[in-house]
Amino acid sequence: MEKRYNAFTGYFKKKYGCRLQKIVIDAGFTCPNRDGRVGTGGCTYCNNAAFHPNYSTPDKSVLQQIEEGMEFHKGRYRNTNDYLAYFQSFSNTYAPLDTLKKLYDEALSHPSVRGIVVGTRPDCIDEEKLDYFQKLSEQKVVVIEYGIESCYDRTLKRINRGHDFETAAKAVEATAKRGIFQGAHFIMGLPGETREDLMGMAPIINELPLNTLKFHQLQIIKGTAMEREYEQKPEDFITFSLDGYVDFFVDFLEHLRPDLYIERFAGEVPPRFVNHTPWGLIRNTELLRLLEQRLVERDTFQGKLYKKTLI
Ligand code: SF4
């Protein structure tokens, strides 16, 4: 049966005829929100160590991380021979273009690497870098992933994000103008945001010329400023039960543009990084199964209530 939402799984297979497995790379970048250019404390929820696998550490060369990543994935996906180097840690366009090119070229020199996925902040991109990505995307798979996190400036300020929503919208527009495939990441349940605020993000996101979306429910990471904020003001945070979140996300999906690919709608950080795991330990495949089941039960689908804004 066709899925009731526009799942990103299978996109590469359809487009390029093969599955493309991502290998996470930590190329030793930092972030302007940590090194003082924009800020020093970083986003209040940030602990980058929580989000990357063991094989990916900046003391290893890009090629070594790719070799080790392939070994790691071969055990799980026997038929995978094609990979994308996923520059994920910190802000992966935060360096002069020549430095970036050297790192990306090193990854692309591996015969099994078909392209790159580059995670970054919307304030770490410029015309010169976008021109480079546009050219590269004529020969290789190129995906830019922007951390946007919230559509509301008051939230971005509160989480010390160091950029506003307009900066994100401009980066997405400039990327789309060059025809570069791009995605964005959002966090559901940042402090001060109500369920209505979250629902209100759907029409705003619909206006952005994005291709893919990743969502995460907020998880409070140990040792972060947000953990302290949560302890002091728990009433400022929505806490979703697992069923409640799946139901909320079905509501949200109904309002989303039907062509937006959903790459992720929730995810669990490894338990050692969080102070509690309200949903128990649940795998991504099980989360997706619950979403699909709920869509069937409610006999609904992505975009059911989507209304195109007429300008
Ligand atoms: S932009 Fe990313 S790496 Fe930088 S502080 Fe925020 S979450 Fe951390």
Side-chain angles (χ1 to χ4, degrees):
M1 191 189 81
E2 276 291 298
K3 284 198 187 331
R4 287 171 178 254
Y5 68 99
N6 195 19
F8 189 60
T9 319
Y11 169 85
F12 289 125
K13 181 127 207 246
K14 230 187 219 167
K15 182 148 182 165
Y16 302 107
C18 59
R19 187 175 188 285
L20 294 177
Q21 177 61 47
K22 285 183 199 161
I23 294 177
V24 173
I25 308 288
D26 184 337
F29 288 102
T30 174
C31 161
N33 203 18
R34 298 167 71 110
D35 73 0
R37 205 199 75 186
V38 169
T40 47
C43 307
T44 56
Y45 56 84
C46 174
N47 171 359
N48 232 261
F51 306 110
H52 61 85
N54 292 340
Y55 65 77
S56 132
T57 54
D59 55 310
K60 298 174 193 164
S61 72
V62 168
L63 277 175
Q64 190 183 347
Q65 291 179 57
I66 288 172
E67 289 294 348
E68 290 184 24
M70 282 178 187
E71 274 311 305
F72 174 82
H73 287 295
K74 269 192 182 128
R76 300 165 136 206
Y77 310 108
R78 280 166 207 280
N79 297 326
T80 300
N81 297 309
D82 298 277
Y83 296 88
L84 294 175
Y86 183 14
F87 289 83
Q88 186 196 41
S89 305
F90 299 104
S91 302
N92 293 276
T93 56
Y94 185 41
L97 184 57
D98 283 345
T99 311
L100 299 179
K101 275 191 203 164
K102 273 188 204 128
L103 293 163
Y104 304 150
D105 282 349
E106 186 178 341
L108 292 166
S109 71
H110 194 290
S112 297
V113 171
R114 301 277 304 270
I116 53 174
V117 180
V118 179
T120 195
R121 289 167 56 91
D123 59 355
C124 287
I125 201 80
D126 57 37
E127 302 285 316
E128 188 194 27
K129 287 170 189 163
L130 286 172
D131 286 344
Y132 162 76
F133 285 127
Q134 181 179 20
K135 208 144 195 279
L136 185 65
S137 66
E138 287 163 13
Q139 293 153 13
K140 301 283 178 188
V141 180
V142 175
V143 182
I144 308 291
E145 245 181 44
Y146 290 112
I148 299 181
E149 318 310 353
S150 170
C151 297
Y152 303 113
D153 284 347
R154 63 171 195 280
T155 307
L156 295 171
K157 206 161 179 215
R158 182 161 176 178
I159 63 172
N160 194 38
R161 184 72 196 164
H163 66 74
D164 59 9
F165 180 71
E166 198 190 341
T167 304
K170 280 188 177 154
V172 170
E173 288 285 347
T175 308
K177 247 190 214 156
R178 289 167 171 81
I180 303 165
F181 196 83
Q182 60 174 331
H185 183 265
F186 294 90
I187 301 175
M188 295 299 203
L190 286 167
E193 290 188 349
T194 61
R195 193 181 189 285
E196 289 65 42
D197 290 332
L198 297 182
M199 288 302 296
M201 295 216 300
I204 302 172
I205 293 171
N206 289 339
E207 292 298 305
L208 297 175
L210 287 161
N211 304 104
T212 74
L213 297 172
K214 276 186 188 171
F215 297 94
H216 272 89
Q217 80 282 18
L218 178 69
Q219 286 187 281
I220 311 280
I221 311 293
K222 277 186 199 161
T224 57
M226 192 168 286
E227 185 183 34
R228 293 188 290 282
E229 194 181 359
Y230 181 68
E231 275 160 16
Q232 284 158 12
K233 282 193 146 193
E235 67 279 11
D236 280 6
F237 292 75
I238 321 177
T239 35
F240 285 107
S241 65
L242 176 55
D243 281 352
Y245 185 78
V246 172
D247 250 327
F248 154 75
F249 200 78
V250 169
D251 291 340
F252 189 81
L253 264 181
E254 288 183 324
H255 290 84
L256 267 191
R257 222 171 69 212
D259 65 289
L260 285 164
Y261 286 101
I262 307 298
E263 209 170 336
R264 188 177 277 263
F265 85 102
E268 295 267 90
V269 171
R272 65 184 184 281
F273 292 110
V274 282
N275 58 9
H276 64 307
T277 49
W279 298 357
L281 295 178
I282 183 158
R283 297 183 76 93
N284 279 326
T285 45
E286 176 60 6
L287 284 168
L288 289 174
R289 194 194 65 72
L290 289 173
L291 178 65
E292 280 170 36
Q293 181 183 311
R294 200 70 190 110
L295 284 162
V296 171
E297 283 165 1
R298 288 177 48 179
D299 190 20
T300 191
F301 52 88
Q302 179 177 345
K304 185 178 183 184
L305 302 175
Y306 165 67
K307 286 192 194 75
K308 195 170 172 10
T309 314
L310 297 172
I311 301 168

